[in-house]
Amino acid sequence: MKRNTWQREAVREALGSNEGFVSAQSLHSTLRDTGSPIGLATVYRALADLAVEGEADSLQSLEGESLYRACTQGQHHHHLICRNCGLTVEIEADAVELWAQSVASEHGFTQANHVVDVFGLCAECTVQTRLAR
Amino acid sequence: MKRNTWQREAVREALGSNEGFVSAQSLHSTLRDTGSPIGLATVYRALADLAVEGEADSLQSLEGESLYRACTQGQHHHHLICRNCGLTVEIEADAVELWAQSVASEHGFTQANHVVDVFGLCAECTVQTRLAR
DNA sequence: TGTATTATTGATAACGAATCTCATTACTGT
DNA sequence: ACAGTAATGAGATTCGTTATCAATAATACA
């Protein structure tokens, strides 16, 4: 049976108070910085659970790290993510869903999953980057 | 200046004689099995170079491993990949390209990249999976 | 052709993300 | 309150990948 612990709650909350996607590692250090003695393994476990339960969204960064974010929509959706600050916009794309399914079945593939995410620089980071040069 | 070595050539060839995406590790052991004394670090380096030069395609597997494949089309494209055997079909999706660009700019994002890949079971693996049960 | 230059190699160490182990802790139903 | 047992966490472990650095070998040029 599943139990409620302050650790899980802490992870849920830390995730919720974050704008964009974060890695398990950085979430862990954020928690430690705020005085929580939570363990790294626990953060990984909590995030994995949240992802399974649909309370969190996960994706792989371009570098291959797993990133998590509190999920605001129940349904399947995709993301527009800022490479620089992690800001994320959830996007729906029925057209893309249909496209993925049809491409798969056209080639005889079944049980199709798809990974569709757009990475870029958000408006703010675009400005900052320009100024930096 | 860039030099031509048999190692690079061996990686290029091993990659070319492969149907689907392969990891650097498995490409390395394939090479070793055929008697080549090539080093693992060299395989990683060669693959990274090929990817930069556009001679190879790379993507992250669902488990976070980097996979490579000889690139047959020069242009940008996406993949339909069998989760089981690695068989890959290159797909073009102008509609998806346009969608990604417009979604990004609608939200003020610039320099948009996108990750669009479909994973599934190819026809053959679908049959095998059914038989296995 | 010989030689100096220097890119490349490869064994190994190092790294980082993620998972596993297992003794300890602390939820929860009774 | 108590027993049963899910959850925790420090640390070890695994695995993919990158860095180190001395040795090697591809190239330019005399």
Side-chain angles (χ1 to χ4, degrees):
Chain A
M1 165 207 304
K2 192 138 132 234
R3 296 174 180 180
N4 287 330
T5 60
W6 64 263
Q7 286 94 334
R8 257 197 237 291
E9 203 46 51
V11 170
R12 202 199 308 270
E13 193 185 313
L15 198 64
S17 65
N18 208 303
E19 264 300 299
F21 277 83
V22 273
S23 66
Q25 308 263 2
S26 77
L27 202 63
H28 177 242
S29 39
T30 301
L31 284 163
R32 293 303 271 258
D33 289 350
T34 63
S36 171
I38 194 170
L40 177 59
T42 303
V43 174
Y44 272 101
R45 282 187 286 239
L47 287 173
D49 286 353
L50 289 174
V52 167
E53 293 158 20
E55 291 198 59
D57 245 8
S58 71
L59 60 80
Q60 302 268 342
S61 74
L62 292 174
E63 296 79 40
E65 230 185 352
S66 286
L67 303 180
Y68 297 87
R69 180 176 195 257
C71 195
T72 57
Q73 306 181 166
Q75 338 110 295
H76 175 76
H77 54 271
H78 299 288
H79 303 97
L80 174 56
I81 304 137
C82 177
R83 257 196 297 276
N84 190 241
C85 69
L87 173 72
T88 302
V89 180
E90 296 189 350
I91 48 190
E92 284 177 64
D94 295 343
V96 174
E97 305 302 320
L98 294 174
W99 168 81
Q101 284 304 325
S102 68
V103 162
S105 58
E106 266 170 35
H107 292 85
F109 279 59
T110 60
Q111 300 177 37
N113 264 358
H114 55 272
V115 175
V116 174
D117 290 301
V118 183
F119 291 86
L121 280 183
C122 71
E124 197 171 334
C125 291
T126 299
V127 174
Q128 284 175 14
T129 306
R130 292 247 168 77
L131 293 177
R133 291 188 219 144
Chain B
M1 164 209 305
K2 191 136 138 244
R3 294 176 181 179
N4 289 329
T5 61
W6 63 263
Q7 286 96 333
R8 256 197 239 290
E9 203 46 52
V11 169
R12 202 198 309 269
E13 192 184 313
L15 198 64
S17 64
N18 208 303
E19 263 301 298
F21 277 83
V22 273
S23 66
Q25 309 259 5
S26 79
L27 200 64
H28 177 242
S29 38
T30 301
L31 284 163
R32 294 301 273 256
D33 289 350
T34 62
S36 170
I38 194 170
L40 177 59
T42 304
V43 174
Y44 273 100
R45 282 187 286 239
L47 287 173
D49 285 353
L50 289 174
V52 168
E53 293 159 19
E55 291 199 59
D57 246 8
S58 71
L59 59 81
Q60 301 271 341
S61 74
L62 292 175
E63 295 80 40
E65 229 184 356
S66 287
L67 303 180
Y68 297 86
R69 182 176 194 258
C71 195
T72 58
Q73 307 183 163
Q75 339 111 293
H76 175 74
H77 55 271
H78 300 287
H79 302 99
L80 175 57
I81 305 137
C82 178
R83 257 196 294 279
N84 191 242
C85 68
L87 172 72
T88 301
V89 181
E90 296 189 351
I91 49 191
E92 283 177 65
D94 295 343
V96 174
E97 306 302 321
L98 293 174
W99 168 82
Q101 284 305 322
S102 68
V103 162
S105 58
E106 266 169 35
H107 293 84
F109 279 60
T110 60
Q111 301 178 37
N113 263 357
H114 54 271
V115 176
V116 174
D117 288 303
V118 182
F119 291 84
L121 281 182
C122 71
E124 198 171 333
C125 291
T126 299
V127 174
Q128 285 176 12
T129 306
R130 292 247 167 77
L131 293 177
R133 291 188 220 145

